[in-house]
Amino acid sequence: MLKVNNYNNFILKNISFFIKSNENLVILGENGAGKSTLAKVICGLIENDSVELYEKNLQDLSSQQRANYINYIPPKLSIFDEYITLKEFLELSSVKSVDVKRLKKVISLLNLKRLEHRYCNDLSSGEKQLLLLASSLMHNAKITIFDELTANLDINRLKEVFDIFKSTLLNQKIIITHNLDLAYALKFKILFLKEGKIEFFGTNEEFFTNKNLNKFYDSSISKIDNHLVVNL
Ligand SMILES: Nc1ncnc2c1ncn2[C@@H]1O[C@H](COP(=O)(O)OP(=O)(O)OP(=O)(O)O)[C@@H](O)[C@H]1O
């Protein structure tokens, strides 16, 4: 459960919304609309007193509690220790002691076995994205925010990630993406930001109508026979 009560800063304006504990969310909006900023507000990287997680004010939570409640997965993996391996990184991603069974399951699920002992810094961009997803599965917070996780993934990997997003492996998910096919297929609730303001908040079905696509994306995308078509 997530509630944001009238949050304002120099980027975001009058941000208020609520998602129940059984709901997931996709955040959409053009470059610079404020999506990452909103994510940082929700997870407390930008301090505020407007966010409630499971009826507790974010500000009142200890660091350990915050880590249990919320996990922000940034667009890019940044690692300070150049000699940390993929497996070591995943072991460190658990908030509690490492669940060896879960670690094995996550490595196998994402086909990361062959990369287990590779240094994280040497992984390709797509492999780093998969490592970030794997780390979120190890962390297993009540709410996980993915900021453009799928940007570097090939089609097969995108499908695997889609299946994980649709599964119950993680609790609540908030997905920031520019991939409208992904957003449409997930069927999660949609929040659309424009210049720091919420322009739309509602169901997937309500958002993905030709009227709304025209309103939010001009004529660059339309829906034909339940498929999104980009008009290049
Ligand atoms: N620390 C900062 N100081 C000043 N301006 C900032 C800061 N962080 C973000 N901005 C500005 O705020 C606006 C929103 O940025 P944000 O990263 O939240 O957008 P976004 O919707 O995630 O964009 P994108 O889709 O390009 O990743 C941008 O104009 C950005 O330049």
Side-chain angles (χ1 to χ4, degrees), residues 24-199:
N24 301 301
L25 184 69
V26 167
I27 301 180
L28 299 172
E30 60 193 28
N31 292 130
K35 303 179 297 296
S36 298
T37 307
L38 176 57
K40 289 173 194 163
V41 169
I42 294 171
C43 67
L45 278 173
I46 297 175
E47 285 295 333
N48 67 88
D49 63 0
S50 299
V51 173
E52 275 178 42
L53 303 170
Y54 289 79
E55 284 160 10
K56 292 192 178 65
N57 195 303
L58 182 68
Q59 267 195 337
D60 301 333
L61 299 174
S62 65
S63 319
Q64 174 77 29
Q65 284 171 322
R66 266 191 204 198
N68 285 330
Y69 276 102
I70 194 131
N71 184 18
Y72 171 64
I73 302 294
K76 281 199 180 128
L77 178 76
S78 49
I79 301 224
F80 301 105
D81 177 354
E82 57 185 302
Y83 296 114
I84 192 169
T85 65
L86 179 139
K87 190 173 175 207
E88 287 165 345
F89 185 85
L90 290 180
E91 284 165 351
L92 290 171
S93 302
S94 297
V95 180
K96 299 175 191 132
S97 56
V98 183
D99 178 342
V100 179
K101 255 173 118 179
R102 189 167 173 97
L103 179 62
K104 274 192 180 160
K105 187 178 162 186
V106 167
I107 286 178
S108 128
L109 185 74
L110 288 167
N111 294 315
L112 294 173
K113 184 87 187 142
R114 68 191 171 85
L115 302 174
E116 230 179 24
H117 302 296
R118 291 261 299 274
Y119 295 133
C120 297
N121 272 344
D122 295 342
L123 300 173
S124 75
S125 311
E127 288 164 350
K128 284 179 181 164
Q129 303 295 100
L130 293 170
L131 173 57
L132 284 170
L133 175 60
S135 83
S136 76
L137 292 166
M138 289 307 296
H139 185 138
N140 200 17
K142 278 183 188 290
I143 302 176
T144 309
I145 309 179
F146 294 99
D147 195 345
E148 277 296 339
L149 181 80
T150 56
N152 293 306
L153 299 182
D154 65 53
I155 295 289
N156 289 334
R157 289 312 189 114
L158 179 63
K159 173 76 173 78
E160 284 169 23
V161 173
F162 170 80
D163 290 339
I164 291 172
F165 284 165
K166 287 299 279 180
S167 77
T168 51
L169 278 164
L170 284 163
N171 303 304
Q172 278 192 276
K173 286 140 280 194
I174 298 178
I175 318 281
I176 297 174
T177 185
H178 288 291
N179 184 334
L180 286 184
D181 287 315
L182 176 71
Y184 179 49
L186 281 170
K187 304 281 178 233
F188 296 169
K189 261 192 144 153
I190 304 283
L191 187 153
F192 185 92
L193 276 179
K194 187 171 179 186
E195 295 169 5
K197 292 190 194 132
I198 297 180
E199 289 277 305

